[in-house]
C-alpha cells in the first residue's frame, strides 16, 4: 500500500476528478489518501465527497484521512509516494481580485491572469514561498515522493521546484490533451483516427508542430486553409462570437496552432489587448475579466451543486487528467505517455536550459523521462522566449527577494510593456506589492 497526499484538497471538484480517477485505478485502490487544506469548511466538504466515492466506486478499500492547517502539514505529507498540488494562495478574494483591479487603474486589462502578465507574476510570487515550505517538509518526511504540480503558473512553479529544491517535480496541464481535438472541432474536421501529433514548447504556449491522420496524411495544409477561411469570414464585420480567433491568427501569422485557449493567449503577447486599438477586443472576441467572472459563477454554482456531490450517491467516471495515469505507470511499470513540464536539459535546443518546457514524456517505474525535440521553428522559439523571460525573472525575484527583478519581469512581459511606460510599470508593481501585503514576503 502507498500514500497519495492532495495539497489544496478544498478544490472539491478537481479533487473529485483526480482522486476519483485514482480510486478507479486498480493499482491505487488500496492506497491511503491524505487530504490537506487550510480551510476547514472546504476540507470537510472534500472529505465527505472522497469518503463517499471510496465506498461507492472502490468498495471502501482506500483509507481516507484529512489534515487541517499548517500545523498538520508534515503529517499529511509523511510517507507519501505522490503529492498532488492544487493550491490557490489568496483565493479569488482577496488576491485574484487584486490582480485584476489594481492593474485596471493603470489601464491594463487582462483575461485570465494566472499564467503570465502582471497577474501571473504576482500569483507566482505569492505561491512560490508556500511551495518552498512544502519542499522543506517533503525533504524531511517524504524525500522520495513525486510532486505533481497542477497549480498555475505551472512553468514558474514547476521551474522553481526543479531548479531550487531536490523534490522530483513535474508540471501538469490538460491543455496538451485537448489541443488537437479542440482544433478539429473548431474547424469542423473529422480526420481518420488514431491521429499522430507532436507538441512541444512551454506550458500554455506549446506548439502543435506535426499532425497526421491514421494513414500518415499531413493535416496541416487543410488546417491552415480552414483557419484562414474562418478568420476571413469572422473578422470582416469587425465583430465575432467565435471563441478561437487568437489561435487561428497564430496559425496565419506563425504557421502553427497553440495548446492553450485563445482567451489565455490573448494576454501572452502584445498583439490583441491594446488600449489604442479597442476595436480588437470585439473583433477577436476577447473576454476581458474572464477569470473573475468564472470564479464568481463557480462560487454561486457550488451553492446549488454541492448537494449532488456531498451525498452518499456520488459517483465518478475516470477523467483524462494525467495524475492517476502517472502514478499507475510508476507503481506497475506499465508505461504511459504524457505532456509534462520539465527542466530544459537540452530537450528543446533553442530555448534556455533554465526554462521549464513542455514536451512528450515517457512514464514508468523509473520516473518521468522527457523526449528530446528538434529545434523549434525560429518564430515559435521567439514567441516562447517572450514568456520565458518573464518566467525566469519572476523566479529570480522569488529567490532573491529583490524588487528590481519584479520590475524587470513586468518590464519584459509582452502585454504589460506594450501598454505601460517603465515608470508606470514600476509604480504598478509597487502598488501590487502593497496591496498583497501579508501574502508576499518582504522585498528589498
Amino acid at each position: 500500500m502507498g500514500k497519495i497526499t492532495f495539497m489544496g484538497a478544498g478544490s472539491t471538484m478537481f479533487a473529485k476528478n483526480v482522486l476519483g480517477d485514482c480510486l478507479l485505478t486498480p493499482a491505487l485502490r488500496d492506497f491511503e489518501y491524505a487530504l490537506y487544506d487550510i480551510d476547514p469548511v472546504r476540507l470537510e466538504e472534500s472529505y465527505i465527497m472522497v469518503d463517499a466515492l471510496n465506498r461507492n466506486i472502490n468498495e471502501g478499500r482506500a483509507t481516507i484521512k484529512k489534515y487541517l492547517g499548517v500545523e498538520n502539514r508534515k503529517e499529511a505529507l509523511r510517507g507519501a509516494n505522490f503529492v498532488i498540488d492544487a493550491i490557490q494562495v489568496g483565493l479569488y478574494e482577496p488576491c485574484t481580485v487584486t490582480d485584476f483591479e489594481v492593474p485596471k487603474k493603470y489601464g491594463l486589462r487582462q483575461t485570465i491572469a494566472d499564467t503570465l502578465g502582471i497577474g501571473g507574476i504576482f500569483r507566482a510570487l505569492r505561491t512560490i514561498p508556500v511551495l518552498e515550505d512544502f519542499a522543506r517538509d517533503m525533504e524531511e518526511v517524504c524525500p522520495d515522493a513525486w510532486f505533481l504540480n497542477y497549480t498555475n503558473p505551472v512553468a514558474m512553479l514547476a521551474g522553481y521546484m526543479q531548479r531550487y529544491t531536490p523534490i522530483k517535480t513535474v508540471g501538469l496541464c490538460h491543455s496538451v490533451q485537448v489541443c488537437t481535438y479542440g482544433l478539429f472541432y473548431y474547424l469542423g474536421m473529422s480526420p481518420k483516427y488514431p491521429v499522430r501529433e507532436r507538441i512541444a514548447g512551454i506550458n500554455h504556449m506549446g506548439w502543435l508542430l506535426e499532425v497526421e491522420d491514421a494513414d500518415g496524411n499531413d493535416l496541416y495544409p487543410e488546417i491552415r486553409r480552414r483557419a484562414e477561411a474562418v478568420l476571413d469570414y469572422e473578422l470582416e464585420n469587425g465583430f465575432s462570437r467565435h471563441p478561437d480567433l487568437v489561435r487561428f491568427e497564430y496559425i496565419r501569422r506563425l504557421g502553427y496552432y497553440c495548446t492553450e485557449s485563445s482567451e489565455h493567449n490573448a494576454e501572452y503577447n502584445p498583439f490583441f489587448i491594446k488600449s489604442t486599438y479597442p476595436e480588437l477586443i470585439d473583433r477577436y472576441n476577447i473576454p476581458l475579466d474572464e477569470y473573475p467572472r468564472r470564479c464568481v459563477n463557480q462560487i454561486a454554482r457550488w451553492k446549488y451543486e454541492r448537494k449532488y456531490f456531498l451525498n452518499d450517491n456520488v459517483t465518478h467516471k475516470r477523467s483524462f487528467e494525467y495524475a492517476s495515469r502517472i502514478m499507475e505507470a510508476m507503481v506497475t511499470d506499465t508505461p504511459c505517455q504524457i505532456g509534462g513540464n520539465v527542466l530544459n536539459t537540452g530537450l528543446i535546443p533553442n530555448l534556455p536550459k533554465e526554462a521549464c518546457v513542455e514536451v512528450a514524456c515517457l512514464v514508468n517505474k523509473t520516473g518521468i523521462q522527457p523526449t528530446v525535440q528538434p529545434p523549434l521553428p525560429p518564430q515559435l522559439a521567439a514567441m516562447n522566449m517572450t514568456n520565458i523571460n518573464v518566467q525566469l525573472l519572476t523566479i529570480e525575484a522569488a529567490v532573491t527577494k529583490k524588487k528590481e527583478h519584479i520590475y524587470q519581469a513586468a518590464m519584459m512581459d509582452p502585454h504589460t510593456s506594450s501598454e505601460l511606460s517603465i515608470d508606470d510599470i514600476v509604480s504598478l508593481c509597487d502598488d501590487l506589492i502593497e496591496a498583497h501585503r501579508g501574502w508576499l514576503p518582504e522585498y528589498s
Side-chain angles (χ1 to χ4, degrees), residues 3-24:
K3 180 177 178 179
I4 298 167
T5 299
F6 196 111
M7 310 299 282
S11 303
T12 304
M13 293 311 298
F14 190 65
K16 177 181 184 293
N17 285 341
V18 172
L19 297 184
D21 289 352
C22 296
L23 293 169
L24 288 172

Side-chain angles (χ1 to χ4, degrees), residues 368-379:
I368 292 174
Q369 302 154 61
T371 59
V372 176
Q373 303 290 315
L376 292 175
Q379 72 276 20

Side-chain angles (χ1 to χ4, degrees), residues 31 53 84 90-91 127 159 204 209 215 236 238 248 265 309 359 395:
F31 270 48
L53 281 174
I84 300 163
L91 300 174
T127 307
H204 285 190
L209 298 165
D215 295 326
E236 66 180 7
F248 286 4
N265 268 275
F309 297 102
V359 297
I395 293 172

Side-chain angles (χ1 to χ4, degrees), residues 210-382:
E210 299 173 8
V211 56
E212 297 177 347
D213 68 13
D215 295 326
N217 298 306
D218 183 2
L219 297 176
Y220 247 126
E222 181 64 12
I223 288 170
R224 293 184 179 111
R225 186 190 70 78
R226 292 193 185 207
E228 292 208 21
V230 171
L231 282 169
D232 291 341
Y233 176 80
E234 293 288 338
L235 300 183
E236 66 180 7
N237 294 320
F239 178 86
S240 175
R241 295 189 183 278
H242 196 286
D244 209 23
L245 296 184
V246 168
R247 289 195 289 178
F248 286 4
E249 196 68 75
Y250 279 5
I251 293 175
R252 176 151 70 182
R253 305 298 180 180
L254 303 174
Y256 296 88
Y257 192 62
C258 184
T259 49
E260 187 49 80
S261 63
S262 281
E263 67 264 23
H264 273 270
N265 268 275
E267 64 184 9
Y268 300 164
N269 58 67
F271 307 133
F272 298 100
I273 306 175
K274 302 179 76 66
S275 56
T276 52
Y277 296 90
E279 69 276 8
L280 295 178
I281 301 303
D282 286 339
R283 191 176 183 208
Y284 285 93
N285 190 24
I286 295 170
L288 296 173
D289 297 327
E290 174 65 12
Y291 187 63
R293 187 160 47 246
R294 289 182 190 178
C295 291
V296 169
N297 291 338
Q298 184 180 43
I299 292 167
R301 190 167 60 247
W302 179 244
K303 293 179 181 178
Y304 298 96
E305 289 184 344
R306 63 192 304 277
K307 62 184 177 183
Y308 298 108
F309 297 102
L310 305 184
N311 66 66
D312 287 336
N313 298 317
V314 65
T315 189
H316 181 72
K317 292 183 179 180
R318 198 172 185 184
S319 76
F320 57 75
E321 296 292 353
Y322 282 136
S324 68
R325 288 165 172 80
I326 291 171
M327 292 184 271
E328 180 182 33
M330 291 187 184
V331 169
T332 66
D333 203 25
T334 301
C336 74
Q337 178 183 309
I338 66 166
N341 290 269
V342 295
L343 198 62
N344 186 32
T345 54
L347 302 171
I348 300 180
N350 53 343
L351 294 181
K353 66 180 183 349
E354 300 88 356
C356 180
V357 295
E358 192 167 64
V359 297
C361 302
L362 174 70
V363 187
N364 58 23
K365 201 164 188 174
T366 63
I368 292 174
Q369 302 154 61
T371 59
V372 176
Q373 303 290 315
L376 292 175
Q379 72 276 20
L380 304 187

Side-chain angles (χ1 to χ4, degrees), residues 5 29 40 57 72 87 106 125 140 151 154-155 258 260 264 276 305 333 341 380 386 400 408 411:
T5 299
R29 297 179 79 175
I57 65 175
N72 292 306
I87 64 173
Y106 289 80
L125 292 176
E140 180 180 339
T151 300
V154 166
C258 184
E260 187 49 80
H264 273 270
T276 52
E305 289 184 344
D333 203 25
N341 290 269
L380 304 187
T386 66
T400 64
Q408 291 159 358
M411 288 163 57

